[in-house]
Amino acid sequence: MSVTRTPGDQTPVPPPQGPTAVTLRELARRSGVSTATVSRALNNRADVSEATRERIRRLAGELGYAPNEPARTLVRRRSDTIGLLWDTWHESHGLHHPFLQGLLSSVRTALSEAGYHLMLLTTAGPGDPDSVYVQAVRRHSLEGVIVMGRPADDRALRVLAASGTPCAGLDVTLDGPRTASVASDNASGAETAVAHLHALGHRRIATVTGPPELPPAAERLAGFRSACARLGLPAPQEYVVTGDFFLESGHRAVHRLLALPEPPTALFAAGDLMAIGALRAAAEAGRSVPGDLAVVGFDDIDAATLVSPALTTVAQDRRALGAAAVAALRELLGPGPVGRPAPSVVPTRLVVRDTCGARSAAAR
């Protein structure tokens, strides 16, 4: 039995029986209006009365109507979907890093608030490896891409940036006609950490860095070197140990540093996980923190407050980073010709806890 609903009829309409999905045409028939009116109402167009829009939306909810997204994409020529390029190396562990997980959450929230869907692109697809990202954009009708945790020399990323696809890089410098870059003030944060340790009386300050091909690691190392030069601190090569932003590399680095004939009295770790690994290594070597070795990290992950002693660190503003990346991408998606936005740099701040010794020094 079919039921015809007039525009003024408020009688609930029973949903269709069985698994058949309700189409836009069926919704229009039951609403007593044209399919064009239904489409305009569901897309919140101004040329539909509020009463009609509310009636159609209520009926759509009663019938369980869901739009055909591929069809909408074809008609509207936009998908409202943003791709996220992150951790596409099969041997990488970035998906497990707590700071990057938090950053992903902030990007997802900012996109949702702006009305966009997020598609995580974590693996390479078939075809020419140099154009694999461009192919993914076209295959999924993505409107733009946010890039995180990719090395600066990624050839496929360079091809994507040059293709004209709107791209916003988070801690990744992109070179293309419709690209933008957003980053924490990594160098300044590292300089602040070294200056803080220097002010506490340390003159032998070492660092454990991230992978040098990743811009945040390179920038934090540059900030470390700049602060050492400005403060007249020795920075011998053996005081600079390369890590990978994860626990074990910080653990290995500190065992190596403490075995030197003249070990450092302070450590700047370019990531909190490495700093936490450093705390374990110091304990295993019978050294106290901060008595024998002061430690400052970078990121301010949740675990920084849970370890003992609590970790002094340079905090990144994950929410501001995610919001800035989405804002930059939306600028690139705007109508008409768009110039490249100026790089956006989000400030960092030093969070003083117990591993640097500042609290105990102030108490004396």
Side-chain angles (χ1 to χ4, degrees), residues 216-259:
E219 291 164 9
R220 292 169 200 176
L221 177 57
F224 170 83
R225 293 192 186 281
S226 175
C228 288
R230 177 172 56 83
L231 297 169
L233 298 174
Q237 188 55 43
E238 59 266 28
Y239 275 18
V240 178
V241 183
T242 301
D244 62 8
F245 286 135
F246 287 90
L247 284 164
E248 189 55 39
S249 66
H251 180 261
R252 289 194 305 267
V254 168
H255 271 300
R256 175 175 161 184
L257 288 166
L258 293 179

Side-chain angles (χ1 to χ4, degrees), residues 181-332:
S181 297
V182 176
S184 288
D185 198 345
N186 291 296
S188 177
E191 290 189 42
T192 298
V194 175
H196 177 69
L197 291 168
H198 177 270
L200 292 173
H202 295 282
R203 298 298 180 265
R204 302 201 306 271
I205 304 174
T207 186
V208 53
T209 76
E213 67 272 13
L214 295 182
E219 291 164 9
R220 292 169 200 176
L221 177 57
F224 170 83
R225 293 192 186 281
S226 175
C228 288
R230 177 172 56 83
L231 297 169
L233 298 174
Q237 188 55 43
E238 59 266 28
Y239 275 18
V240 178
V241 183
T242 301
D244 62 8
F245 286 135
F246 287 90
L247 284 164
E248 189 55 39
S249 66
H251 180 261
R252 289 194 305 267
V254 168
H255 271 300
R256 175 175 161 184
L257 288 166
L258 293 179
L260 292 173
E262 192 171 41
T265 64
L267 174 75
F268 165 59
D272 281 352
L273 284 182
M274 295 190 298
I276 292 171
L279 299 183
R280 189 182 74 185
E284 291 171 352
R287 310 294 177 89
S288 70
V289 175
D292 298 316
L293 181 70
V295 177
V296 177
F298 202 112
D299 286 335
D300 198 24
I301 61 176
D302 291 342
T305 62
L306 301 177
V307 294
S308 182
L311 181 65
T312 295
T313 186
V314 177
Q316 299 192 75
D317 190 335
R318 289 172 287 196
R319 181 173 297 181
L321 284 167
V326 172
L329 188 61
R330 293 185 70 188
E331 184 176 344
L332 295 171

Side-chain angles (χ1 to χ4, degrees), residues 4-364:
T4 301
R5 181 172 184 159
T6 63
D9 186 6
Q10 300 299 313
T11 304
V13 177
Q17 300 299 311
T20 303
V22 177
T23 65
L24 189 71
R25 187 183 301 275
E26 176 69 9
L27 183 56
R29 186 182 71 79
R30 290 170 178 258
S31 302
V33 297
S34 69
T35 56
T37 298
V38 171
S39 178
R40 290 196 295 269
L42 295 177
N43 285 290
N44 205 31
R45 291 275 296 275
D47 51 354
V48 180
S49 72
E50 183 60 35
T52 299
R53 179 164 38 244
E54 178 59 30
R55 180 169 53 81
I56 290 171
R57 286 180 172 176
R58 184 171 59 250
L59 181 60
E62 293 170 0
L63 297 175
Y65 171 77
N68 184 322
E69 290 298 339
R72 290 184 71 204
T73 296
L74 288 173
V75 172
R76 298 166 66 235
R77 295 187 179 182
R78 54 178 294 181
S79 65
D80 291 333
T81 301
I82 302 300
L84 178 67
L85 277 174
W86 178 28
D87 200 70
T88 58
W89 303 335
H90 71 276
E91 70 272 20
S92 179
H93 303 291
L95 288 169
H96 307 292
H97 196 285
F99 176 78
L100 294 181
Q101 286 281 1
L103 186 55
L104 170 60
S105 179
S106 71
V107 169
R108 181 181 58 204
T109 298
L111 284 173
S112 178
E113 291 173 349
Y116 288 94
H117 307 295
L118 176 67
M119 178 176 288
L120 184 59
L121 305 174
T122 59
T123 58
D128 178 5
D130 286 350
S131 61
V132 66
Y133 300 155
V134 175
Q135 293 166 6
V137 168
R138 294 171 179 168
R139 183 165 59 249
H140 299 294
S141 301
L142 302 179
E143 295 197 42
V145 175
I146 293 175
V147 183
M148 287 170 48
R150 305 301 302 131
D153 60 352
D154 184 336
R155 291 181 58 181
L157 187 56
R158 291 203 301 267
V159 171
L160 174 65
S163 72
T165 299
C167 297
L170 262 170
D171 276 326
V172 179
T173 301
L174 302 174
D175 185 14
R178 302 185 74 186
T179 59
S181 297
V182 176
S184 288
D185 198 345
N186 291 296
S188 177
E191 290 189 42
T192 298
V194 175
H196 177 69
L197 291 168
H198 177 270
L200 292 173
H202 295 282
R203 298 298 180 265
R204 302 201 306 271
I205 304 174
T207 186
V208 53
T209 76
E213 67 272 13
L214 295 182
E219 291 164 9
R220 292 169 200 176
L221 177 57
F224 170 83
R225 293 192 186 281
S226 175
C228 288
R230 177 172 56 83
L231 297 169
L233 298 174
Q237 188 55 43
E238 59 266 28
Y239 275 18
V240 178
V241 183
T242 301
D244 62 8
F245 286 135
F246 287 90
L247 284 164
E248 189 55 39
S249 66
H251 180 261
R252 289 194 305 267
V254 168
H255 271 300
R256 175 175 161 184
L257 288 166
L258 293 179
L260 292 173
E262 192 171 41
T265 64
L267 174 75
F268 165 59
D272 281 352
L273 284 182
M274 295 190 298
I276 292 171
L279 299 183
R280 189 182 74 185
E284 291 171 352
R287 310 294 177 89
S288 70
V289 175
D292 298 316
L293 181 70
V295 177
V296 177
F298 202 112
D299 286 335
D300 198 24
I301 61 176
D302 291 342
T305 62
L306 301 177
V307 294
S308 182
L311 181 65
T312 295
T313 186
V314 177
Q316 299 192 75
D317 190 335
R318 289 172 287 196
R319 181 173 297 181
L321 284 167
V326 172
L329 188 61
R330 293 185 70 188
E331 184 176 344
L332 295 171
L333 292 170
V338 179
R340 294 177 64 181
S344 178
V345 179
V346 176
T348 58
R349 62 187 178 88
L350 182 69
V351 179
V352 177
R353 297 192 180 102
D354 298 326
T355 56
C356 62
R359 288 181 176 179
S360 57
R364 289 199 294 267

